[in-house]
Amino acid sequence: MMKSLTYIHVYLIQTILNILPFFWIDVFYDNQTYIGNQLNHPIYLFLWALSSAFGFYYYSKKIWEKQNVKYNKKNHALICLGMILSSSIPYNNITILKDLHVWLSILFVASFIMEWFFYIPVNLNKNSILFFVNTGLSFVFTFMFGHITGFCEIYFSFTTTILLHHWLVQDKSYQF
Protein backbone atom coordinates (compact mmCIF):
# COMPACT_ATOMS: atom_id res chain seq x y z
CA MET A 1 0.00 0.00 0.00
CA MET A 2 2.70 2.49 1.01
CA LYS A 3 4.64 1.68 -2.15
CA SER A 4 1.61 2.62 -4.27
CA LEU A 5 1.23 5.87 -2.35
CA THR A 6 4.86 6.78 -3.02
CA TYR A 7 4.29 6.35 -6.76
CA ILE A 8 1.23 8.60 -6.52
CA HIS A 9 3.29 11.16 -4.60
CA VAL A 10 6.24 11.19 -6.98
CA TYR A 11 4.59 10.83 -10.35
CA LEU A 12 1.23 12.52 -9.83
CA ILE A 13 1.35 15.02 -6.96
CA GLN A 14 4.93 16.18 -7.56
CA THR A 15 4.30 16.43 -11.31
CA ILE A 16 1.17 18.55 -10.89
CA LEU A 17 2.73 20.82 -8.27
CA ASN A 18 5.83 21.36 -10.38
CA ILE A 19 3.98 22.00 -13.66
CA LEU A 20 1.58 24.65 -12.31
CA PRO A 21 4.22 27.44 -12.07
CA PHE A 22 4.79 27.23 -15.83
CA PHE A 23 1.23 28.54 -16.25
CA TRP A 24 1.51 31.30 -13.63
CA ILE A 25 4.98 32.84 -13.88
CA ASP A 26 8.07 33.19 -15.97
CA VAL A 27 9.90 30.32 -14.25
CA PHE A 28 13.23 31.55 -15.60
CA TYR A 29 12.89 34.87 -13.77
CA ASP A 30 10.40 34.61 -10.87
CA ASN A 31 10.50 32.06 -8.07
CA GLN A 32 8.03 29.98 -6.10
CA THR A 33 7.66 32.54 -3.31
CA TYR A 34 6.45 35.04 -5.91
CA ILE A 35 3.53 32.68 -6.56
CA GLY A 36 2.75 32.43 -2.87
CA ASN A 37 3.25 36.06 -1.90
CA GLN A 38 2.57 38.30 -4.88
CA LEU A 39 0.09 36.11 -6.78
CA ASN A 40 -1.70 35.19 -3.55
CA HIS A 41 -1.37 31.42 -3.82
CA PRO A 42 0.08 30.67 -0.36
CA ILE A 43 -1.72 27.31 -0.20
CA TYR A 44 -0.04 26.22 -3.44
CA LEU A 45 3.35 27.30 -2.08
CA PHE A 46 2.76 25.44 1.19
CA LEU A 47 1.64 22.26 -0.63
CA TRP A 48 4.63 22.43 -2.98
CA ALA A 49 7.05 22.85 -0.05
CA LEU A 50 5.28 20.13 1.94
CA SER A 51 5.38 17.67 -0.95
CA SER A 52 9.04 18.41 -1.73
CA ALA A 53 10.13 18.23 1.91
CA PHE A 54 8.16 15.01 2.42
CA GLY A 55 9.97 13.44 -0.54
CA PHE A 56 13.35 14.61 0.69
CA TYR A 57 12.62 13.41 4.22
CA TYR A 58 10.92 10.09 3.62
CA TYR A 59 12.92 8.76 0.68
CA SER A 60 16.27 9.82 2.18
CA LYS A 61 15.32 8.24 5.50
CA LYS A 62 14.35 4.95 3.85
CA ILE A 63 17.52 4.87 1.72
CA TRP A 64 19.74 5.54 4.72
CA GLU A 65 17.96 2.87 6.75
CA LYS A 66 18.31 0.44 3.84
CA GLN A 67 22.04 1.21 3.62
CA ASN A 68 22.45 1.02 7.43
CA VAL A 69 23.65 4.62 7.51
CA LYS A 70 23.71 6.12 10.97
CA TYR A 71 22.22 9.56 10.37
CA ASN A 72 20.95 12.15 12.81
CA LYS A 73 17.19 11.59 12.71
CA LYS A 74 16.31 14.79 14.57
CA ASN A 75 18.50 17.00 12.37
CA HIS A 76 17.09 15.41 9.22
CA ALA A 77 13.52 16.00 10.40
CA LEU A 78 14.30 19.61 11.43
CA ILE A 79 15.98 20.36 8.10
CA CYS A 80 12.98 19.12 6.13
CA LEU A 81 10.54 20.86 8.46
CA GLY A 82 12.59 24.05 8.05
CA MET A 83 12.06 23.87 4.28
CA ILE A 84 8.31 23.96 4.82
CA LEU A 85 8.43 26.71 7.43
CA SER A 86 10.74 28.92 5.38
CA SER A 87 8.33 28.88 2.47
CA SER A 88 5.56 29.97 4.84
CA ILE A 89 7.31 33.23 5.77
CA PRO A 90 5.62 36.05 3.86
CA TYR A 91 7.57 38.65 1.93
CA ASN A 92 8.20 41.69 4.11
CA ASN A 93 9.21 45.23 3.15
CA ILE A 94 11.39 45.62 6.27
CA THR A 95 14.95 45.50 4.93
CA ILE A 96 16.31 42.93 7.38
CA LEU A 97 13.34 40.59 6.97
CA LYS A 98 12.82 41.21 3.25
CA ASP A 99 14.56 38.07 2.04
CA LEU A 100 14.39 35.96 5.22
CA HIS A 101 12.31 33.29 3.49
CA VAL A 102 14.90 33.03 0.71
CA TRP A 103 17.92 32.75 3.01
CA LEU A 104 16.23 30.23 5.27
CA SER A 105 15.23 28.14 2.26
CA ILE A 106 18.82 28.24 1.00
CA LEU A 107 20.09 27.27 4.46
CA PHE A 108 17.77 24.27 4.77
CA VAL A 109 18.26 22.99 1.22
CA ALA A 110 22.05 23.37 1.60
CA SER A 111 21.82 21.48 4.89
CA PHE A 112 19.92 18.69 3.14
CA ILE A 113 22.61 18.47 0.46
CA MET A 114 25.34 18.48 3.12
CA GLU A 115 23.60 15.58 4.86
CA TRP A 116 24.03 13.58 1.71
CA PHE A 117 27.70 14.51 1.47
CA PHE A 118 28.21 13.36 5.06
CA TYR A 119 26.18 10.17 4.97
CA ILE A 120 26.58 8.73 1.48
CA PRO A 121 29.97 8.77 -0.24
CA VAL A 122 29.99 9.40 -3.98
CA ASN A 123 31.53 6.01 -4.74
CA LEU A 124 28.74 4.05 -3.01
CA ASN A 125 26.77 3.32 -6.17
CA LYS A 126 25.44 4.79 -9.40
CA ASN A 127 22.44 6.29 -7.58
CA SER A 128 24.58 8.38 -5.28
CA ILE A 129 26.58 9.59 -8.28
CA LEU A 130 23.32 10.55 -10.04
CA PHE A 131 22.23 12.40 -6.91
CA PHE A 132 25.42 14.46 -6.85
CA VAL A 133 25.33 15.11 -10.61
CA ASN A 134 21.73 16.30 -10.22
CA THR A 135 22.76 18.60 -7.38
CA GLY A 136 25.60 19.95 -9.51
CA LEU A 137 23.19 20.67 -12.37
CA SER A 138 20.99 22.56 -9.92
CA PHE A 139 23.93 24.80 -9.04
CA VAL A 140 24.72 25.30 -12.73
CA PHE A 141 21.13 26.42 -13.40
CA THR A 142 21.25 28.81 -10.46
CA PHE A 143 24.44 30.44 -11.71
CA MET A 144 23.23 30.40 -15.31
CA PHE A 145 20.10 32.39 -14.43
CA GLY A 146 21.94 34.58 -11.92
CA HIS A 147 19.60 33.81 -9.03
CA ILE A 148 17.30 31.13 -7.68
CA THR A 149 14.44 31.00 -10.14
CA GLY A 150 11.28 28.95 -10.16
CA PHE A 151 12.94 26.67 -12.69
CA CYS A 152 15.85 26.03 -10.30
CA GLU A 153 13.44 25.27 -7.46
CA ILE A 154 11.24 23.06 -9.63
CA TYR A 155 14.20 21.23 -11.13
CA PHE A 156 15.77 20.40 -7.78
CA SER A 157 12.46 19.46 -6.12
CA PHE A 158 11.20 17.30 -8.96
CA THR A 159 14.37 15.51 -10.03
CA THR A 160 15.67 14.91 -6.51
CA THR A 161 12.39 13.36 -5.42
CA ILE A 162 12.30 11.14 -8.52
CA LEU A 163 15.94 10.08 -8.10
CA LEU A 164 15.49 9.24 -4.41
CA HIS A 165 12.27 7.34 -5.09
CA HIS A 166 13.86 5.40 -7.95
CA TRP A 167 16.85 4.58 -5.76
CA LEU A 168 14.55 3.24 -3.09
CA VAL A 169 12.24 1.13 -5.25
CA GLN A 170 14.85 -0.38 -7.56
CA ASP A 171 15.61 -2.96 -4.87
CA LYS A 172 12.61 -5.28 -5.29
CA SER A 173 13.26 -6.94 -1.93
CA TYR A 174 12.91 -3.73 0.04
CA GLN A 175 9.68 -3.26 1.99
CA PHE A 176 8.23 0.18 2.58
Side-chain angles (χ1 to χ4, degrees):
M1 176 67 173
M2 188 60 173
K3 190 173 186 178
S4 298
L5 291 175
T6 64
Y7 278 99
I8 291 169
H9 170 253
V10 169
Y11 296 107
L12 181 65
I13 296 170
Q14 275 289 91
T15 300
I16 290 169
L17 290 172
N18 284 293
I19 286 177
L20 285 174
F22 286 91
F23 298 105
W24 291 332
I25 62 171
D26 176 359
V27 295
F28 300 106
Y29 179 76
D30 295 317
N31 59 30
Q32 295 284 61
T33 55
Y34 182 80
I35 294 171
N37 293 320
Q38 273 68 33
L39 298 182
N40 296 315
H41 295 295
I43 293 171
Y44 160 78
L45 181 61
F46 176 78
L47 291 175
W48 175 80
L50 179 66
S51 179
S52 299
F54 169 78
F56 296 167
Y57 172 79
Y58 182 77
Y59 304 129
S60 296
K61 174 181 176 272
K62 291 297 184 181
I63 290 166
W64 293 335
E65 288 171 357
K66 178 179 163 184
Q67 300 289 334
N68 293 319
V69 172
K70 300 207 184 322
Y71 68 99
N72 188 317
K73 294 175 184 177
K74 288 180 184 174
N75 279 352
H76 182 60
L78 288 173
I79 287 168
C80 293
L81 188 60
M83 291 178 195
I84 299 166
L85 294 175
S86 65
S87 72
S88 301
I89 298 171
Y91 179 83
N92 194 317
N93 284 330
I94 301 170
T95 306
I96 278 188
L97 301 176
K98 183 176 180 181
D99 293 325
L100 181 63
H101 63 280
V102 173
W103 290 109
L104 287 177
S105 294
I106 291 169
L107 172 71
F108 290 117
V109 171
S111 297
F112 171 75
I113 293 168
M114 291 308 296
E115 280 186 305
W116 275 91
F117 277 104
F118 289 137
Y119 299 134
I120 301 289
V122 173
N123 62 357
L124 182 65
N125 61 34
K126 68 177 179 166
N127 292 312
S128 57
I129 294 169
L130 283 173
F131 177 85
F132 292 119
V133 166
N134 183 59
T135 301
L137 281 173
S138 296
F139 283 114
V140 167
F141 291 140
T142 300
F143 292 117
M144 188 170 80
F145 297 123
H147 65 287
I148 298 172
T149 65
F151 179 80
C152 298
E153 294 167 324
I154 291 165
Y155 176 83
F156 186 76
S157 167
F158 190 63
T159 58
T160 299
T161 303
I162 287 175
L163 285 171
L164 293 176
H165 183 262
H166 175 73
W167 186 344
L168 186 60
V169 300
Q170 77 181 19
D171 181 359
K172 303 296 182 202
S173 66
Y174 189 70
Q175 298 295 317
F176 283 79

